[in-house]
Every structure is written in C-alpha cells, then in structure tokens.
Amino acid sequence: MTDNKKIQISDLNVFAGKFQILKNINIELPENKITVILGPSGCGKTTLLKCMNRLTDLYPELRVTGDIRISGNNILAAKEDIYKLRQHMGLLSQRPYPLPMTIYNNIAYGLKLRGVKKRREIHKLVVHYLQQANLWEEVKHRLREPASRLSIGQQQRLCLARGLAVNPGIILADEPTSALDPISSQYIEQKFLELKNEYTIVLVTHVLRQARRIADYVVFMYLGEVIEQGDVHEVFENPKMEKTKLYLGGTFN
Amino acid sequence: MYILNRWQRHWANNTWMIISLLVVATLPFFLFLGLYLKSFLLLHDYHLGHLLFGKIWKPGIGQFGFFPFIVGSIWVTLLAMVISAPICLLAAIYVTQYSKTRLLRIMHPAIDILAGIPSVVYGLWGILVIVPFIARYLGPLFGVDTVGYSILAAALVLSIMIVPFILNILIEIFRAIPVELKEASLALGATEWQSIKQVIVKKALPGIIAAFGFGLARAFGETMAVLMVVGNVVELPKSVFDPGYTLPALIANNYGEMLSIPKYDSALMFAALILLVVSLFFNLIMHFFIIRYNKY
Ligand SMILES: Nc1ncnc2c1ncn2[C@@H]1O[C@H](COP(=O)(O)OP(=O)(O)OP(=O)(O)O)[C@@H](O)[C@H]1O
Ligand SMILES: [Mg+2]
C-alpha cells in the first residue's frame, strides 16, 4: 500500500518531432521524501513532471517512451486510468491558477470529482483542506467570494488545498514559490516539510537554498539528461560531476 | 519658431483629449437627438403605444403601425442567433481545445475571408440557394406552402453571415485563456469535457456574452441581405415560413422615394430611432451580464 507513493522512472524519453526533450531518464523517487529536481531553464523539468501525471497527453506533438512505475503499474501504458492517476498526483504549478468559481467551490470541485456527494461531507472536507493549507483563518468569512480576489500567496495556498482535496499520494510542485513573496514561500516550504510524512513530494525549484533547506533527495538535470542524483548532502557537499559543481557553485551560464 | 512651454503643451494635449472624448461620448446622444427631432412630427400626432404596437401600415391614409416590422426584426434576429450561437460556440471550442493547431492556422484566414464578403453577395446567394431550398424541400417537409422568401430564409442567410463574425471573437477569447487553467482542472482528475464545461467556458463567459451581443447587434441592423430574401410583406408573420419585413429593410426600401406622402420621412426616422434605442438596450443588457460574470 505504501508502495504506491514510490515512483520508478526507467528509460524515459520524450520527443517533440526530431528534438529530444528528455533523454534516457532513470530515477527512483523515494517515498515520503522531498525530491528536488534542479537544472537550468529549458532542461526539461516541467516536461518530466507532466509525464508523471500524463498531462503530456494534451500535447499531440510530444512522443513519450519508456516506463514510469507507481506500485508496479506502468502509468504510461495506454490502458491506465488517467483520471485516477491524476488524482493520485496533486499538481502545484508555477503560478496559481484558481478555477473561475468561488473559494469554496475551488475545493468542492475536486471533492466532487473524487466522488464525495453529501453536502455536509463536502463542507467538512472543504474546511479541513483549507485548514491544512493554512488558509482557513483568512478566508472563513469569504468562502463565497470569487477565488481570483485572493492575493497571489493566498491563491497558491488555495491551489495547494485544492490539490490535497483529491486525496493524492504524491505531490508534484513546479516552482511553486517562484511567484510568491518570501513569507508566502516560507509557508509553502514549511507545509511541504509537514506534508512529507503523508505524501511523496517532487519539487522543481531554481532556488538552491530552498533545495538545500527542504530536500531529501536531489536530481540534477542538464539538457534533458539526468547528470547526477543522490542524497541532498552528498550532492550538495560532494558533487561528483563537473556540471553539478558548476551549477551549484552558481558559475553556470 | 514658437515653442510651447511645458504647461501650455500639457494644456493643449489635455484639451484635445477631452474634446475627442466628448465627441465620442456624446455621439449616441446627438444621433438620438437628431432622429428624435426628425421623427417629432409623427410622435406629436400619434400615441407612442399606437406606433409601436399598431398592426396596420397604410401611410397613404395616415396609419403608421410599426409592430409588423418590429416583430419581423425580432423574429429574424433571434432565429439567426438561435441557429448560429451554438454552432459558433461548439466550433470555437473544438478549434481551440481539441483540434491540432494547424487547423486553427488554416481556419483563421478562412474565417476572415468569410467575414469580409459584402452582404449583397450573401443576399444573392440566399436568393439562389436558400429561398428555392425552402420553397422546394423545407416547406413541403413541414407541410407548408411557401414561396421561400420568408423569415426563415432571412434568418438562415443572416446566421451564416454572422457565424464568421462571432466565431472570430470567440476563438480569440478561448485562445486568451491560459492552458495552465485547463491543466489545473485536468490535474484534479476531471475529464477534458468537464474541464471545458465547468472551467474554460465559465472563465470565457463574459467574452462569450460579448461575442453573442455583437453578433446580435450585427444581425439586428443587417439590411441588405435580409431585405433580399425576407419577402418584404407588411404582415405579422404567423410562422417562420411566412414572409415578413424588418426595420432596416423598411428604411432602405423607402427612403427618398415615397416622401410625397405626409409624415412618411418622419416615420422612417422613427424606425431608425427604434433601431438605435434597441441597439443601445442590447448593449446595456450585454454589459450588465459581462459585469455580472466577469468577477472570476
Ligand atoms: N509541447 C512542446 N513542443 C515542443 N517543445 C517543447 C514542448 N514542451 C516543451 N518543449 C521544449 O522542451 C524543453 C524543456 O522544456 P521544459 O518546460 O520542460 O523546461 P524546464 O526545465 O521546465 O524550464 P524552466 O526552468 O524554464 O521552467 C524546452 O526546450 C522546450 O522548448
Ligand atoms: Mg518549467
């Protein structure tokens, strides 16, 4: 059962026409840990995340080969139930995209998709997930207001609550704090540290200090390839590859 | 050379801006005033209710009932919207959400070309294709005897005319919605259709209303194409297979011709006034809805 939080990626390749975005990716993401994916812009981090919840299906120009296994199932297989799969993978994107509805319904939307039908149950869970994302106190008086009226930092926490509401086992976060102020970023970081007891977290970030603060496991990518991966201390204190050293040293172009 | 100092420049710029703004802002008012004054002769002698709801149009004996024209205009416009609105919406959704980008690239210029065709051409095409089609097939199919020149013919021609117009706006609106919003919904386990219905369309709603509003206004004011196929019979249409008459057609057919009849030109001005007021009213309602749904 705990196995369904472990992600094994083997020989993953992604092509866009002749251009190869991801090249022979082999990683094993440990469960209930925070795995940080590092790498310069354009190296394919977002694409890697999108493979994991099959959002790549949305782009007919992308061709994906290889295996991504969660509890033994290859989720790239055609017969995989992608709706179940996506609910198993909470997504937090670079900028918050609140759904065009009220704050309350932003959470209820996912709950209904998950199959919660009773109104009282929905209400209870909405409150629960807003509390989980440290948002409840700020919005409890304005649940029926449009979500777009919240500040960006609040919106990102709403997106986190919304993602948690579908009851995922894994959280995919693509630079979730890059649009946020330091305080809101800290909120999210703190939350991740709490959440990793229950979830496996995959985090893409450009902030090396953030990676150092919260990562357990680090994957360094460059031009679509995984250059180095390992325990956070290992990679940060004793990088084996020249490129990793340069990147972590900040002297990368 | 005389050089303005900063204050003078500032003043000069501002004045021009204010003047242009005033011109734009008061234009509808002056239009209204002009038409009102010109139709005053009629309004002075007749009850407004009699003009608007009177069913008899006999200018020769001083009977000015605009009701048949108003009903004709409304029928034609609404029917055209009912036909084209769902088509446009579904087409825009398909092109922007489901199809490959190549289709969009091909369709855009094609739609622009359609939108640029003069309305006379649509009218002619209506006479050559739609009218006989209704007379020969559609009418008999419903057990109606019709010559083809009818409310339905006008509505069909009109709906085809406004499709490119509405579709263009709708496509722009759907394209302006970030993919990430759809991805956010899909990532929660929603199906593509659920995401479109509950998220994308909702986000686009103010724009969709605006697009339909523009289409409606366009259809309501369209003169030439309608005039050519609607039949131009002053009569309250009982079904869509009956011929009718519309307000713009009334003005276009008669202005400058029957002016020997007393108050006739005043009556045509009044028709224009009705058109103006209804258009303004449409606009007002449209804005109300846009504001109402724009909060997300
Ligand atoms: N649908 C697509 N079609 C073609 N090329 C694509 C597509 N999606 C991504 N790419 C290309 O794949 C490469 C990796 O993109 P990706 O967004 O995964 O990078 P990233 O590591 O997330 O960068 P950043 O740090 O800037 O977010 C880029 O060169 C991008 O242009
Ligand atoms: Mg990215």
Side-chain angles (χ1 to χ4, degrees), chain B residues 48-105:
Chain B
L48 186 62
H50 286 168
L51 289 175
L52 291 179
F53 298 108
K55 295 186 185 67
I56 297 166
W57 177 262
K58 291 208 171 99
I61 54 165
Q63 294 256 44
F64 293 99
F66 285 88
F67 200 56
F69 303 99
I70 295 174
V71 170
S73 277
I74 291 176
W75 261 112
V76 169
T77 308
L78 287 187
L79 202 57
M81 281 309 286
V82 167
I83 297 168
S84 61
I87 295 175
C88 288
L89 189 59
L90 292 176
I93 289 175
Y94 179 75
V95 173
T96 56
Q97 310 293 320
Y98 285 99
S99 76
K100 300 217 164 99
T101 37
R102 204 182 315 135
L103 181 64
L104 188 60
R105 272 210 297 277

Short mmCIF file of all heavy atoms in Angstrom, two decimals, chain B residues 48-105:
data_model
loop_
_atom_site.label_atom_id
_atom_site.label_comp_id
_atom_site.label_asym_id
_atom_site.label_seq_id
_atom_site.Cartn_x
_atom_site.Cartn_y
_atom_site.Cartn_z
N LEU B 48 -47.41 56.97 -28.71
CA LEU B 48 -46.24 56.09 -28.87
C LEU B 48 -46.66 54.62 -28.91
O LEU B 48 -46.18 53.83 -29.71
CB LEU B 48 -45.25 56.33 -27.73
CG LEU B 48 -43.93 55.58 -27.82
CD1 LEU B 48 -43.15 56.00 -29.06
CD2 LEU B 48 -43.08 55.78 -26.57
N GLY B 49 -47.61 54.27 -28.03
CA GLY B 49 -48.10 52.89 -27.97
C GLY B 49 -48.73 52.47 -29.28
O GLY B 49 -48.52 51.35 -29.76
N HIS B 50 -49.46 53.37 -29.90
CA HIS B 50 -50.10 53.05 -31.18
C HIS B 50 -49.08 52.82 -32.27
O HIS B 50 -49.23 51.95 -33.12
CB HIS B 50 -51.06 54.16 -31.60
CG HIS B 50 -52.31 54.16 -30.78
ND1 HIS B 50 -53.22 55.20 -30.80
CD2 HIS B 50 -52.79 53.26 -29.90
CE1 HIS B 50 -54.21 54.92 -29.97
NE2 HIS B 50 -53.97 53.75 -29.41
N LEU B 51 -48.01 53.64 -32.22
CA LEU B 51 -46.96 53.48 -33.23
C LEU B 51 -46.27 52.14 -33.07
O LEU B 51 -46.08 51.39 -34.02
CB LEU B 51 -45.94 54.61 -33.10
CG LEU B 51 -46.41 56.01 -33.52
CD1 LEU B 51 -45.32 57.03 -33.23
CD2 LEU B 51 -46.76 56.02 -35.00
N LEU B 52 -45.88 51.84 -31.83
CA LEU B 52 -45.09 50.64 -31.58
C LEU B 52 -45.90 49.36 -31.74
O LEU B 52 -45.38 48.34 -32.21
CB LEU B 52 -44.47 50.68 -30.18
CG LEU B 52 -43.37 51.71 -29.96
CD1 LEU B 52 -42.86 51.65 -28.53
CD2 LEU B 52 -42.21 51.50 -30.93
N PHE B 53 -47.18 49.41 -31.31
CA PHE B 53 -47.94 48.17 -31.32
C PHE B 53 -49.06 48.14 -32.36
O PHE B 53 -49.78 47.16 -32.47
CB PHE B 53 -48.50 47.90 -29.92
CG PHE B 53 -47.41 47.72 -28.90
CD1 PHE B 53 -47.17 48.70 -27.95
CD2 PHE B 53 -46.60 46.59 -28.94
CE1 PHE B 53 -46.14 48.55 -27.03
CE2 PHE B 53 -45.57 46.45 -28.03
CZ PHE B 53 -45.33 47.43 -27.07
N GLY B 54 -49.17 49.22 -33.12
CA GLY B 54 -50.15 49.24 -34.19
C GLY B 54 -49.80 48.23 -35.27
O GLY B 54 -48.63 48.09 -35.64
N LYS B 55 -50.83 47.52 -35.76
CA LYS B 55 -50.52 46.46 -36.71
C LYS B 55 -50.76 46.88 -38.16
O LYS B 55 -50.43 46.16 -39.09
CB LYS B 55 -51.39 45.23 -36.40
CG LYS B 55 -51.06 44.61 -35.04
CD LYS B 55 -51.83 43.33 -34.82
CE LYS B 55 -51.60 42.77 -33.43
NZ LYS B 55 -52.16 43.62 -32.35
N ILE B 56 -51.36 48.05 -38.33
CA ILE B 56 -51.71 48.43 -39.70
C ILE B 56 -50.76 49.50 -40.23
O ILE B 56 -50.52 50.53 -39.60
CB ILE B 56 -53.16 48.96 -39.75
CG1 ILE B 56 -54.09 47.81 -39.34
CG2 ILE B 56 -53.52 49.45 -41.15
CD1 ILE B 56 -55.48 48.25 -39.02
N TRP B 57 -50.20 49.20 -41.38
CA TRP B 57 -49.24 50.11 -42.00
C TRP B 57 -49.84 50.57 -43.33
O TRP B 57 -49.74 49.89 -44.34
CB TRP B 57 -47.92 49.37 -42.21
CG TRP B 57 -46.88 50.19 -42.90
CD1 TRP B 57 -46.56 50.16 -44.22
CD2 TRP B 57 -46.01 51.16 -42.32
NE1 TRP B 57 -45.56 51.04 -44.50
CE2 TRP B 57 -45.20 51.68 -43.33
CE3 TRP B 57 -45.83 51.66 -41.00
CZ2 TRP B 57 -44.23 52.64 -43.12
CZ3 TRP B 57 -44.86 52.62 -40.79
CH2 TRP B 57 -44.08 53.11 -41.83
N LYS B 58 -50.50 51.76 -43.27
CA LYS B 58 -51.03 52.33 -44.51
C LYS B 58 -50.70 53.82 -44.51
O LYS B 58 -51.55 54.66 -44.21
CB LYS B 58 -52.54 52.12 -44.60
CG LYS B 58 -52.90 50.65 -44.81
CD LYS B 58 -54.22 50.50 -45.55
CE LYS B 58 -54.47 49.06 -45.94
NZ LYS B 58 -55.37 48.35 -45.00
N PRO B 59 -49.48 54.17 -44.85
CA PRO B 59 -49.06 55.58 -44.77
C PRO B 59 -49.96 56.48 -45.62
O PRO B 59 -50.18 57.64 -45.25
CB PRO B 59 -47.65 55.55 -45.34
CG PRO B 59 -47.20 54.15 -45.20
CD PRO B 59 -48.42 53.30 -45.34
N GLY B 60 -50.50 55.94 -46.71
CA GLY B 60 -51.35 56.75 -47.58
C GLY B 60 -52.56 57.33 -46.84
O GLY B 60 -52.98 58.44 -47.11
N ILE B 61 -53.10 56.55 -45.90
CA ILE B 61 -54.25 57.06 -45.16
C ILE B 61 -53.87 57.38 -43.71
O ILE B 61 -54.70 57.41 -42.81
CB ILE B 61 -55.42 56.05 -45.19
CG1 ILE B 61 -54.94 54.67 -44.68
CG2 ILE B 61 -56.01 55.93 -46.58
CD1 ILE B 61 -56.07 53.73 -44.35
N GLY B 62 -52.54 57.58 -43.50
CA GLY B 62 -52.10 58.04 -42.19
C GLY B 62 -52.08 56.98 -41.11
O GLY B 62 -52.19 57.27 -39.93
N GLN B 63 -51.95 55.70 -41.51
CA GLN B 63 -51.86 54.63 -40.50
C GLN B 63 -50.41 54.16 -40.39
O GLN B 63 -49.87 53.57 -41.33
CB GLN B 63 -52.74 53.44 -40.93
CG GLN B 63 -54.22 53.77 -40.95
CD GLN B 63 -54.92 53.19 -39.75
OE1 GLN B 63 -54.41 53.26 -38.64
NE2 GLN B 63 -56.09 52.62 -39.97
N PHE B 64 -49.80 54.42 -39.25
CA PHE B 64 -48.40 54.03 -39.08
C PHE B 64 -48.25 53.03 -37.95
O PHE B 64 -47.98 53.42 -36.81
CB PHE B 64 -47.53 55.26 -38.79
CG PHE B 64 -47.42 56.20 -39.95
CD1 PHE B 64 -48.22 57.34 -40.01
CD2 PHE B 64 -46.54 55.95 -40.98
CE1 PHE B 64 -48.11 58.22 -41.08
CE2 PHE B 64 -46.43 56.83 -42.05
CZ PHE B 64 -47.22 57.97 -42.11
N GLY B 65 -48.47 51.79 -38.21
CA GLY B 65 -48.24 50.78 -37.17
C GLY B 65 -46.93 50.06 -37.44
O GLY B 65 -46.75 49.43 -38.46
N PHE B 66 -45.98 50.16 -36.49
CA PHE B 66 -44.65 49.57 -36.72
C PHE B 66 -44.54 48.14 -36.23
O PHE B 66 -43.50 47.52 -36.38
CB PHE B 66 -43.58 50.42 -36.02
CG PHE B 66 -43.27 51.70 -36.73
CD1 PHE B 66 -44.00 52.85 -36.47
CD2 PHE B 66 -42.26 51.73 -37.67
CE1 PHE B 66 -43.71 54.03 -37.15
CE2 PHE B 66 -41.97 52.90 -38.34
CZ PHE B 66 -42.69 54.05 -38.09
N PHE B 67 -45.61 47.64 -35.64
CA PHE B 67 -45.49 46.33 -34.99
C PHE B 67 -45.01 45.22 -35.94
O PHE B 67 -44.14 44.43 -35.57
CB PHE B 67 -46.83 45.96 -34.34
CG PHE B 67 -46.68 44.90 -33.29
CD1 PHE B 67 -45.82 45.09 -32.22
CD2 PHE B 67 -47.40 43.71 -33.37
CE1 PHE B 67 -45.68 44.12 -31.25
CE2 PHE B 67 -47.25 42.72 -32.40
CZ PHE B 67 -46.38 42.94 -31.34
N PRO B 68 -45.54 45.14 -37.17
CA PRO B 68 -45.07 44.08 -38.06
C PRO B 68 -43.56 44.14 -38.31
O PRO B 68 -42.89 43.10 -38.37
CB PRO B 68 -45.83 44.35 -39.36
CG PRO B 68 -47.02 45.13 -38.96
CD PRO B 68 -46.61 45.94 -37.78
N PHE B 69 -43.03 45.34 -38.42
CA PHE B 69 -41.59 45.47 -38.67
C PHE B 69 -40.78 45.07 -37.44
O PHE B 69 -39.74 44.41 -37.55
CB PHE B 69 -41.26 46.92 -39.05
CG PHE B 69 -42.02 47.41 -40.24
CD1 PHE B 69 -43.16 48.18 -40.09
CD2 PHE B 69 -41.61 47.06 -41.52
CE1 PHE B 69 -43.87 48.61 -41.18
CE2 PHE B 69 -42.31 47.50 -42.61
CZ PHE B 69 -43.45 48.27 -42.46
N ILE B 70 -41.31 45.51 -36.29
CA ILE B 70 -40.58 45.18 -35.06
C ILE B 70 -40.58 43.67 -34.86
O ILE B 70 -39.54 43.05 -34.61
CB ILE B 70 -41.23 45.89 -33.85
CG1 ILE B 70 -41.07 47.41 -34.01
CG2 ILE B 70 -40.60 45.43 -32.55
CD1 ILE B 70 -41.79 48.23 -32.97
N VAL B 71 -41.75 43.07 -35.02
CA VAL B 71 -41.84 41.61 -34.85
C VAL B 71 -40.96 40.91 -35.89
O VAL B 71 -40.23 39.97 -35.57
CB VAL B 71 -43.30 41.14 -34.98
CG1 VAL B 71 -43.37 39.63 -35.05
CG2 VAL B 71 -44.11 41.64 -33.80
N GLY B 72 -41.00 41.39 -37.12
CA GLY B 72 -40.17 40.79 -38.17
C GLY B 72 -38.70 40.85 -37.81
O GLY B 72 -37.98 39.85 -37.90
N SER B 73 -38.27 42.02 -37.35
CA SER B 73 -36.85 42.18 -36.98
C SER B 73 -36.47 41.23 -35.86
O SER B 73 -35.43 40.58 -35.90
CB SER B 73 -36.59 43.62 -36.53
OG SER B 73 -36.38 44.44 -37.64
N ILE B 74 -37.33 41.17 -34.85
CA ILE B 74 -37.02 40.33 -33.70
C ILE B 74 -36.97 38.85 -34.09
O ILE B 74 -36.04 38.13 -33.74
CB ILE B 74 -38.05 40.56 -32.56
CG1 ILE B 74 -37.85 41.97 -31.99
CG2 ILE B 74 -37.90 39.52 -31.47
CD1 ILE B 74 -38.85 42.36 -30.93
N TRP B 75 -37.97 38.42 -34.86
CA TRP B 75 -38.00 37.04 -35.32
C TRP B 75 -36.71 36.67 -36.05
O TRP B 75 -36.05 35.68 -35.73
CB TRP B 75 -39.16 36.84 -36.31
CG TRP B 75 -40.38 36.23 -35.73
CD1 TRP B 75 -41.59 36.85 -35.56
CD2 TRP B 75 -40.56 34.88 -35.28
NE1 TRP B 75 -42.49 35.97 -35.01
CE2 TRP B 75 -41.88 34.75 -34.83
CE3 TRP B 75 -39.71 33.77 -35.20
CZ2 TRP B 75 -42.39 33.57 -34.32
CZ3 TRP B 75 -40.21 32.59 -34.69
CH2 TRP B 75 -41.53 32.50 -34.26
N VAL B 76 -36.40 37.48 -37.04
CA VAL B 76 -35.24 37.19 -37.87
C VAL B 76 -33.95 37.16 -37.04
O VAL B 76 -33.15 36.23 -37.15
CB VAL B 76 -35.13 38.25 -39.00
CG1 VAL B 76 -33.81 38.14 -39.71
CG2 VAL B 76 -36.27 38.09 -39.98
N THR B 77 -33.83 38.15 -36.18
CA THR B 77 -32.60 38.26 -35.38
C THR B 77 -32.47 37.08 -34.42
O THR B 77 -31.42 36.42 -34.36
CB THR B 77 -32.60 39.56 -34.56
OG1 THR B 77 -32.85 40.64 -35.45
CG2 THR B 77 -31.28 39.76 -33.88
N LEU B 78 -33.53 36.83 -33.68
CA LEU B 78 -33.45 35.77 -32.67
C LEU B 78 -33.23 34.41 -33.32
O LEU B 78 -32.41 33.61 -32.87
CB LEU B 78 -34.71 35.75 -31.80
CG LEU B 78 -34.80 36.91 -30.81
CD1 LEU B 78 -35.99 36.72 -29.89
CD2 LEU B 78 -33.52 37.04 -30.00
N LEU B 79 -33.96 34.18 -34.41
CA LEU B 79 -33.83 32.89 -35.09
C LEU B 79 -32.40 32.72 -35.60
O LEU B 79 -31.79 31.64 -35.45
CB LEU B 79 -34.83 32.83 -36.25
CG LEU B 79 -35.21 31.45 -36.72
CD1 LEU B 79 -35.77 30.63 -35.58
CD2 LEU B 79 -36.26 31.55 -37.84
N ALA B 80 -31.85 33.79 -36.16
CA ALA B 80 -30.46 33.72 -36.65
C ALA B 80 -29.51 33.42 -35.50
O ALA B 80 -28.59 32.61 -35.63
CB ALA B 80 -30.07 35.04 -37.32
N MET B 81 -29.76 34.03 -34.34
CA MET B 81 -28.89 33.79 -33.20
C MET B 81 -29.03 32.36 -32.69
O MET B 81 -28.04 31.71 -32.36
CB MET B 81 -29.23 34.75 -32.06
CG MET B 81 -28.67 36.15 -32.21
SD MET B 81 -26.92 36.18 -32.58
CE MET B 81 -26.22 35.76 -30.99
N VAL B 82 -30.27 31.89 -32.64
CA VAL B 82 -30.51 30.53 -32.15
C VAL B 82 -29.79 29.51 -33.04
O VAL B 82 -29.26 28.50 -32.56
CB VAL B 82 -32.03 30.23 -32.09
CG1 VAL B 82 -32.29 28.75 -31.91
CG2 VAL B 82 -32.67 31.02 -30.97
N ILE B 83 -29.76 29.81 -34.34
CA ILE B 83 -29.07 28.88 -35.24
C ILE B 83 -27.56 29.01 -35.11
O ILE B 83 -26.85 28.01 -34.99
CB ILE B 83 -29.48 29.15 -36.71
CG1 ILE B 83 -30.97 28.90 -36.89
CG2 ILE B 83 -28.67 28.28 -37.66
CD1 ILE B 83 -31.52 29.41 -38.21
N SER B 84 -27.05 30.24 -35.07
CA SER B 84 -25.60 30.38 -35.18
C SER B 84 -24.86 30.32 -33.84
O SER B 84 -23.72 29.88 -33.79
CB SER B 84 -25.24 31.67 -35.91
OG SER B 84 -25.73 32.77 -35.20
N ALA B 85 -25.51 30.72 -32.75
CA ALA B 85 -24.79 30.76 -31.48
C ALA B 85 -24.22 29.40 -31.06
O ALA B 85 -23.02 29.30 -30.77
CB ALA B 85 -25.68 31.35 -30.39
N PRO B 86 -25.04 28.33 -31.04
CA PRO B 86 -24.47 27.04 -30.63
C PRO B 86 -23.39 26.55 -31.60
O PRO B 86 -22.38 26.00 -31.16
CB PRO B 86 -25.66 26.09 -30.65
CG PRO B 86 -26.86 26.89 -30.90
CD PRO B 86 -26.46 28.24 -31.36
N ILE B 87 -23.62 26.79 -32.89
CA ILE B 87 -22.62 26.37 -33.87
C ILE B 87 -21.29 27.07 -33.59
O ILE B 87 -20.23 26.43 -33.55
CB ILE B 87 -23.09 26.70 -35.30
CG1 ILE B 87 -24.33 25.88 -35.65
CG2 ILE B 87 -21.99 26.45 -36.32
CD1 ILE B 87 -24.94 26.21 -36.99
N CYS B 88 -21.36 28.37 -33.39
CA CYS B 88 -20.14 29.14 -33.15
C CYS B 88 -19.44 28.66 -31.88
O CYS B 88 -18.23 28.48 -31.86
CB CYS B 88 -20.46 30.62 -33.01
SG CYS B 88 -20.92 31.40 -34.54
N LEU B 89 -20.23 28.47 -30.82
CA LEU B 89 -19.63 28.09 -29.55
C LEU B 89 -18.92 26.74 -29.67
O LEU B 89 -17.77 26.57 -29.28
CB LEU B 89 -20.71 28.04 -28.47
CG LEU B 89 -20.19 27.88 -27.05
CD1 LEU B 89 -19.26 29.02 -26.68
CD2 LEU B 89 -21.34 27.84 -26.05
N LEU B 90 -19.63 25.77 -30.25
CA LEU B 90 -19.04 24.44 -30.36
C LEU B 90 -17.83 24.46 -31.30
O LEU B 90 -16.81 23.83 -31.03
CB LEU B 90 -20.08 23.43 -30.85
CG LEU B 90 -21.18 23.16 -29.83
CD1 LEU B 90 -22.24 22.23 -30.41
CD2 LEU B 90 -20.59 22.55 -28.56
N ALA B 91 -17.95 25.21 -32.40
CA ALA B 91 -16.83 25.28 -33.33
C ALA B 91 -15.62 25.90 -32.66
O ALA B 91 -14.50 25.40 -32.79
CB ALA B 91 -17.22 26.09 -34.57
N ALA B 92 -15.84 26.98 -31.92
CA ALA B 92 -14.72 27.65 -31.26
C ALA B 92 -14.08 26.73 -30.23
O ALA B 92 -12.85 26.65 -30.12
CB ALA B 92 -15.19 28.94 -30.58
N ILE B 93 -14.91 26.00 -29.49
CA ILE B 93 -14.36 25.05 -28.51
C ILE B 93 -13.57 23.97 -29.21
O ILE B 93 -12.44 23.64 -28.83
CB ILE B 93 -15.49 24.42 -27.66
CG1 ILE B 93 -16.07 25.47 -26.72
CG2 ILE B 93 -14.98 23.23 -26.87
CD1 ILE B 93 -17.26 24.99 -25.93
N TYR B 94 -14.13 23.44 -30.29
CA TYR B 94 -13.41 22.38 -31.00
C TYR B 94 -12.08 22.87 -31.52
O TYR B 94 -11.04 22.25 -31.30
CB TYR B 94 -14.26 21.83 -32.16
CG TYR B 94 -13.52 20.76 -32.90
CD1 TYR B 94 -13.39 19.50 -32.35
CD2 TYR B 94 -12.88 21.04 -34.11
CE1 TYR B 94 -12.67 18.52 -32.99
CE2 TYR B 94 -12.14 20.06 -34.76
CZ TYR B 94 -12.04 18.80 -34.19
OH TYR B 94 -11.31 17.84 -34.80
N VAL B 95 -12.11 24.02 -32.18
CA VAL B 95 -10.89 24.51 -32.81
C VAL B 95 -9.81 24.84 -31.78
O VAL B 95 -8.64 24.56 -31.99
CB VAL B 95 -11.19 25.76 -33.66
CG1 VAL B 95 -9.90 26.37 -34.19
CG2 VAL B 95 -12.08 25.39 -34.81
N THR B 96 -10.22 25.43 -30.65
CA THR B 96 -9.18 25.86 -29.71
C THR B 96 -8.81 24.78 -28.69
O THR B 96 -7.71 24.80 -28.17
CB THR B 96 -9.63 27.11 -28.92
OG1 THR B 96 -10.87 26.81 -28.27
CG2 THR B 96 -9.81 28.29 -29.85
N GLN B 97 -9.71 23.85 -28.42
CA GLN B 97 -9.43 22.89 -27.35
C GLN B 97 -9.09 21.49 -27.84
O GLN B 97 -8.34 20.77 -27.19
CB GLN B 97 -10.62 22.78 -26.38
CG GLN B 97 -11.14 24.10 -25.88
CD GLN B 97 -10.15 24.81 -24.98
OE1 GLN B 97 -9.50 24.17 -24.16
NE2 GLN B 97 -10.01 26.10 -25.15
N TYR B 98 -9.65 21.10 -28.95
CA TYR B 98 -9.47 19.71 -29.36
C TYR B 98 -8.56 19.54 -30.58
O TYR B 98 -7.77 18.62 -30.64
CB TYR B 98 -10.82 19.07 -29.69
CG TYR B 98 -11.64 18.74 -28.46
CD1 TYR B 98 -12.66 19.57 -28.04
CD2 TYR B 98 -11.39 17.58 -27.73
CE1 TYR B 98 -13.41 19.27 -26.92
CE2 TYR B 98 -12.13 17.27 -26.61
CZ TYR B 98 -13.14 18.11 -26.21
OH TYR B 98 -13.88 17.82 -25.12
N SER B 99 -8.73 20.42 -31.54
CA SER B 99 -8.05 20.17 -32.81
C SER B 99 -6.58 20.52 -32.72
O SER B 99 -6.12 21.13 -31.78
CB SER B 99 -8.69 21.01 -33.91
OG SER B 99 -8.28 22.34 -33.79
N LYS B 100 -5.83 20.09 -33.72
CA LYS B 100 -4.42 20.45 -33.79
C LYS B 100 -4.31 21.93 -34.13
O LYS B 100 -5.20 22.52 -34.73
CB LYS B 100 -3.74 19.62 -34.88
CG LYS B 100 -3.84 18.12 -34.63
CD LYS B 100 -2.55 17.45 -35.08
CE LYS B 100 -2.43 16.06 -34.51
NZ LYS B 100 -2.84 15.01 -35.45
N THR B 101 -3.18 22.50 -33.76
CA THR B 101 -3.01 23.94 -34.01
C THR B 101 -3.03 24.26 -35.51
O THR B 101 -3.32 25.37 -35.90
CB THR B 101 -1.69 24.44 -33.41
OG1 THR B 101 -0.72 23.44 -33.58
CG2 THR B 101 -1.87 24.80 -31.97
N ARG B 102 -2.70 23.25 -36.33
CA ARG B 102 -2.66 23.51 -37.76
C ARG B 102 -4.04 23.93 -38.27
O ARG B 102 -4.17 24.84 -39.07
CB ARG B 102 -2.18 22.27 -38.51
CG ARG B 102 -1.58 22.64 -39.85
CD ARG B 102 -1.13 21.41 -40.65
NE ARG B 102 -0.40 20.45 -39.86
CZ ARG B 102 -0.63 19.13 -39.92
NH1 ARG B 102 -1.57 18.66 -40.69
NH2 ARG B 102 0.08 18.29 -39.19
N LEU B 103 -5.08 23.28 -37.77
CA LEU B 103 -6.44 23.61 -38.19
C LEU B 103 -6.75 25.08 -37.91
O LEU B 103 -7.32 25.79 -38.73
CB LEU B 103 -7.45 22.71 -37.48
CG LEU B 103 -8.90 22.94 -37.87
CD1 LEU B 103 -9.13 22.60 -39.32
CD2 LEU B 103 -9.83 22.13 -36.99
N LEU B 104 -6.33 25.51 -36.72
CA LEU B 104 -6.57 26.90 -36.34
C LEU B 104 -5.87 27.84 -37.31
O LEU B 104 -6.42 28.85 -37.72
CB LEU B 104 -6.06 27.11 -34.91
CG LEU B 104 -6.39 28.45 -34.26
CD1 LEU B 104 -7.88 28.63 -34.17
CD2 LEU B 104 -5.77 28.54 -32.89
N ARG B 105 -4.65 27.46 -37.68
CA ARG B 105 -3.89 28.32 -38.60
C ARG B 105 -4.56 28.41 -39.96
O ARG B 105 -4.53 29.45 -40.60
CB ARG B 105 -2.47 27.78 -38.76
CG ARG B 105 -1.52 28.33 -37.71
CD ARG B 105 -0.10 28.41 -38.25
NE ARG B 105 0.45 27.10 -38.59
CZ ARG B 105 1.01 26.28 -37.71
NH1 ARG B 105 1.09 26.63 -36.46
NH2 ARG B 105 1.49 25.12 -38.08
#
